[in-house]
Amino acid sequence: DDEEGYSGEDAAGLDAFDGAKRLLVRAGRVEELEDLGEVDTGDPATLASFVGWGLAKFPARRRALVLWDHGEGWTGFGGDDSHDGDSLELPEIAAALSRGLASARVDRLDLIGFDCCLMGNLETMAAVAPYARWFVGSEELAPGQGWDYLGALEALASLPGQRTEDFASTICDRYLAWFRDHDDPTLQREALTATLSVVDLDRIRPVTAALDDAAGALLARLARDGRAAWIPIARARRDAEEYGRSEDGDTYQHDLLDLVRALEDERALEPARALRAAIEDAVHHRVAGAYRPASSGISLWFPPWIDEGQEEVVETYPDSAASAKWASLVRAYLELQEADETPPDLGDASSSSGRIAPGQAAIVRAHVAADDLADAWFVLGTREDDQDVLLGMYPVAALGANLEGRFDGTWLSIGDDEGELVAPIESAEPVPGKPGRLVVGVPTVYIPEGGDEELSVTLYFEIGAGDRKGVFLHAFEFDEAGPSEIELEEGGRLLCVYRYVTEDGDWEDVPVDPEDALELGEDDLELVRQDLAPGEYRVGFVVEDLAGNVAESLFEVRLGD
C-alpha cells in the first residue's frame, strides 16, 4: 500500500499485504494462519470473532488478551485508518468480550491488558471487570515502544506455573526497566513518565460504590453552595496528578487516589476512608517513573472544561462511566464552570523601562484580583495586523495579588544545528524531587520529510529556572485517534504554533509561516535561551482562572540600542 504512513514492504517474513491476517508467533518466525482480507477493527464483531477464535483454537488453563493500538481513555480504544478512524467504545469492548467468551464457552479471561495510552482508568476497568480477573494498563500516555514482551515472556517461560497476578506484575516491572536501563538516553527518559499497574478486577465494585458515595456528597455541596463549593473542587482537580491533557478535554484524566487526597485537603470532601481503602485494595502492583510520583494505579476522567463543539462528550459519558453519580457530578461541575464568564481582574502591565539595551533588563509588574486564579504567565508578544501575537509564555508565581517578570532581551527557543524558533510554551509542570526544574510543552506542527502531511505535535523538554538549555524528552502527536508518541526524523520540518488574540479576546492558534520552518538536522533538539532580534516587542502577563477565563495585559518595549 502506497498510502502515507504505510511502507508497502515485506515484514516479518511475510510478503506485503493489504487487509488483516491472523498470525502465530513462533521462535524466530511468524506463521500465517488466516488471511481475513479487509476488516474494521473498530467493529466490536471483529474483536468478538478474534476472542472466540483464539480461545477455541488454542485452549489453555489460563488465558490472556492484550489489546495494542491508540488508547483514548474512557472514550475508547483503537482507530481503524481504513474505516475513517472507527474505534471501539467501552460498551462495544464489553459487548465484544461477552460474545467472544460465550462463543468459546469460556466464563472469563484470566488477564486483560491494554498496551497503549490512558487505558488504566476506572471506567475501562469497570467495563471489562465481568470478563477478566486481572487488568494491566497505563494511567499516562505510553511510549511508542510499548511493553517489553520478550522480557515478560522469558520470565513466564522460566516459571510457567506462576500465578497470573505475578506474571502481570512482571509485565509492569520489565516495562519500566526496559526504558530505565536502555543504552539510549532518549529512551531512558521515557521511564520518567511511564506508568503501569495491575488491578484486581474482583475488587473494582467496592471502588465504584465508594466513588458513588463521594460523588453524591460533592453533588450535594454543589447544589447547596454553588460557586463557593465549586472553587475548592476545581482547585483539587487542578492539583491532582493528571494524564493525557488534550485540547478539547475528552481525555483529561487524574489519578483517583491523588484526587481524593486533594479534595480532602481542600475540605471539599470529608475523609473518604472507604474510597481510599478500596483503591489500595484493588491495585495489586504498580510502577511509575519519577515524574509521576502520585500514580496509584487507577485514574478517572475529570476535565477542567469541554471545548466548544464537544458537548456530545458529556452526553455520552454516562454510557461509559463507572459511577452514575460521578457522571452527574462532572456534568454539574462543567455547568457551573461554563456559567462563570468573568475573567480575572488584571491591571495594566508596567515596565521599569520602555527601552532595553544589550546587557540590561526591565522588570514588568501587574496587579491581579481573582478568588479563583489558576495560572499566571509572563508573556512575550508582538503586534501584527492590530492583533497581539503571543510568541512565548512562561509560568510565574502570583505573590499575593502581584505579578512580576524580568525581560532581558532573551527568550527560550527550540532548535538544533539548523536553526531556532521562539518557543511558545503552553504548559509547565514542576519536576518532582527537583526544585526549580520544569517539564514544558511546546505546541508545533510537524511535517515529515518528503511529505506535506501536517501533524499536531507537542514537544516536551526539561529545563531549570536559570538554565540556558533544556533537554528534549519526547514528542506526542494528538489526532482523532488519541495521543501517541512519534519519532522526529532528520529532514522533517517543525512549525511553532503561536497564539493570536482576537478582537473579542479569544485565542486562535496559528502555525508559523512554512518558509520560516525549522528543518531538523542530525543533532537532538534543545530548548535554548537565545538573544532576540532588535525591534518592538510586547511583554506582560496572561492569567487564567479555574473556569478557564483569560485576561491579558501587555506593555510595549523596544529592544536594542
Side-chain angles (χ1 to χ4, degrees):
D1 196 324
D2 60 0
E3 285 187 56
E4 189 76 32
Y6 295 87
S7 69
E9 299 176 357
D10 298 349
L14 301 173
D15 293 337
F17 62 92
D18 294 323
K21 294 181 183 290
R22 285 175 174 162
L23 307 175
L24 177 62
V25 180
R26 296 189 181 276
R29 63 189 178 90
V30 174
E31 178 183 335
E32 180 180 328
L33 300 180
E34 292 185 46
D35 188 338
L36 302 179
E38 183 64 37
V39 300
D40 178 4
T41 58
D43 184 345
T46 302
L47 176 58
S49 173
F50 175 73
V51 170
W53 168 84
L55 293 173
K57 182 78 172 178
F58 302 98
R61 286 184 292 127
R62 286 182 290 173
R63 311 162 183 91
L65 171 68
V66 178
L67 301 173
W68 173 89
D69 202 329
H70 288 297
E72 304 173 55
W74 71 268
T75 60
F77 159 84
D80 192 324
D81 291 344
S82 64
H83 289 81
D84 296 324
D86 190 18
S87 61
L88 289 167
E89 298 175 359
L90 292 186
E92 291 180 318
I93 294 174
L97 293 174
S98 177
R99 288 173 54 190
L101 290 168
S103 70
R105 297 180 181 176
V106 172
D107 292 333
R108 201 178 187 194
L109 297 166
D110 296 274
L111 171 68
I112 186 167
F114 288 84
D115 181 7
C116 51
C117 298
L118 302 174
M119 298 304 287
N121 57 72
L122 186 62
E123 295 89 347
T124 301
M125 295 170 192
V128 303
Y131 313 108
R133 172 62 195 278
W134 296 98
F135 177 97
V136 177
S138 171
E139 294 185 86
E140 182 56 288
L141 301 171
Q145 290 78 8
W147 295 0
D148 177 14
Y149 289 95
L150 180 60
L153 292 175
E154 284 177 343
L156 179 61
S158 67
L159 190 60
Q162 64 184 279
R163 300 182 305 172
T164 303
E165 58 267 39
D166 293 336
F167 174 54
S169 299
T170 299
I171 292 173
C172 295
D173 293 340
R174 295 303 295 258
Y175 168 73
L176 185 62
W178 189 89
F179 291 102
R180 185 191 60 218
D181 301 335
H182 204 282
D183 294 336
D184 186 338
T186 301
L187 292 177
Q188 287 178 13
R189 291 192 288 268
E190 299 289 6
L192 296 171
T193 56
T195 65
L196 205 61
S197 59
V198 181
V199 176
D200 184 348
L201 294 177
D202 280 352
R203 299 189 179 189
I204 284 298
R205 187 181 295 273
V207 179
T208 59
L211 178 63
D212 241 21
D213 292 341
L218 292 169
L219 270 169
R221 289 196 173 196
L222 285 178
R224 183 182 69 238
D225 300 329
R227 187 173 184 274
W230 179 89
I231 289 176
I233 296 174
R235 288 195 182 115
R237 188 216 58 77
R238 176 200 62 188
D239 294 340
E241 188 163 279
E242 68 179 34
Y243 315 103
R245 177 182 295 192
S246 61
E247 294 180 357
D248 51 23
D250 59 354
T251 57
Y252 238 113
Q253 300 179 165
H254 296 266
D255 183 83
L256 178 53
L257 186 57
D258 200 38
L259 177 61
V260 172
R261 290 170 179 154
L263 288 165
E264 292 172 341
D265 289 345
E266 288 288 341
R267 299 185 180 181
L269 184 67
E270 295 298 322
R273 296 183 181 89
L275 180 52
R276 284 191 274 112
I279 296 167
E280 291 167 352
D281 285 345
V283 179
H284 174 76
H285 185 72
R286 62 181 177 84
V287 297
Y291 286 9
R292 296 296 177 265
S295 170
S296 67
I298 301 176
S299 64
L300 185 71
W301 187 56
F302 194 4
W305 36 256
I306 288 296
D307 195 30
E308 185 177 353
Q310 293 288 317
E311 293 82 2
E312 72 276 6
V313 171
V314 182
E315 298 292 334
T316 59
Y317 179 62
D319 296 334
S320 298
S323 157
K325 287 184 180 177
W326 181 258
S328 297
L329 175 67
V330 169
R331 177 186 288 275
Y333 176 91
L334 292 173
E335 286 175 351
L336 282 167
Q337 178 269 336
E338 188 174 358
D340 182 354
E341 298 180 347
T342 304
D345 183 6
L346 178 61
D348 292 338
S350 62
S351 174
S352 60
S353 175
R355 183 182 294 271
I356 302 173
Q360 295 181 341
I363 304 300
V364 184
R365 296 185 176 92
H367 179 87
V368 61
D371 62 357
D372 61 344
L373 187 66
D375 293 299
W377 302 78
F378 185 60
V379 177
L380 170 72
T382 60
R383 194 75 176 165
E384 181 179 310
D385 297 330
D386 295 327
Q387 284 184 305
D388 281 329
V389 182
L390 307 186
L391 300 177
M393 302 169 65
Y394 202 80
V396 294
L399 303 175
N402 298 312
L403 303 174
E404 182 174 299
R406 181 178 183 274
F407 181 56
D408 62 359
T410 68
W411 203 264
L412 292 172
S413 302
I414 59 169
D416 61 3
D417 62 339
E418 298 296 327
E420 294 82 24
L421 288 172
V422 174
I425 296 170
E426 67 173 3
S427 64
E429 303 294 335
V431 176
K434 295 182 179 180
R437 297 196 68 79
L438 298 171
V439 173
V440 299
V442 179
T444 70
V445 168
Y446 173 59
I447 304 174
E449 182 183 17
D452 54 8
E453 182 182 17
E454 296 186 354
L455 309 178
S456 177
V457 172
T458 299
L459 312 179
Y460 293 93
F461 300 84
E462 180 185 331
I463 189 168
D467 293 354
R468 293 195 66 85
K469 287 189 177 183
V471 178
F472 174 66
L473 298 175
H474 42 225
F476 274 88
E477 177 191 0
F478 294 83
D479 61 14
E480 293 180 356
S484 59
E485 186 182 5
I486 69 168
E487 183 176 348
L488 304 179
E489 299 179 350
E490 183 180 352
R493 292 181 294 155
L494 282 173
L495 313 175
C496 281
V497 177
Y498 298 118
R499 184 155 285 175
Y500 283 63
V501 182
T502 63
E503 290 183 359
D504 56 6
D506 290 334
W507 288 354
E508 180 182 0
D509 293 336
V510 180
V512 71
D513 190 312
E515 293 185 0
D516 298 324
L518 172 67
E519 183 171 339
L520 299 176
E522 296 179 357
D523 293 351
D524 289 340
L525 283 176
E526 291 182 319
L527 196 63
V528 183
R529 185 167 292 279
Q530 298 280 351
D531 293 329
L532 295 170
E536 300 287 344
Y537 292 91
R538 290 171 65 79
V539 294
F541 302 95
V542 168
V543 293
E544 184 174 11
D545 64 22
L546 292 168
N549 299 306
V550 174
E552 63 158 296
S553 180
L554 304 181
F555 183 89
E556 190 166 289
V557 297
R558 177 164 184 80
L559 183 61
D561 295 330

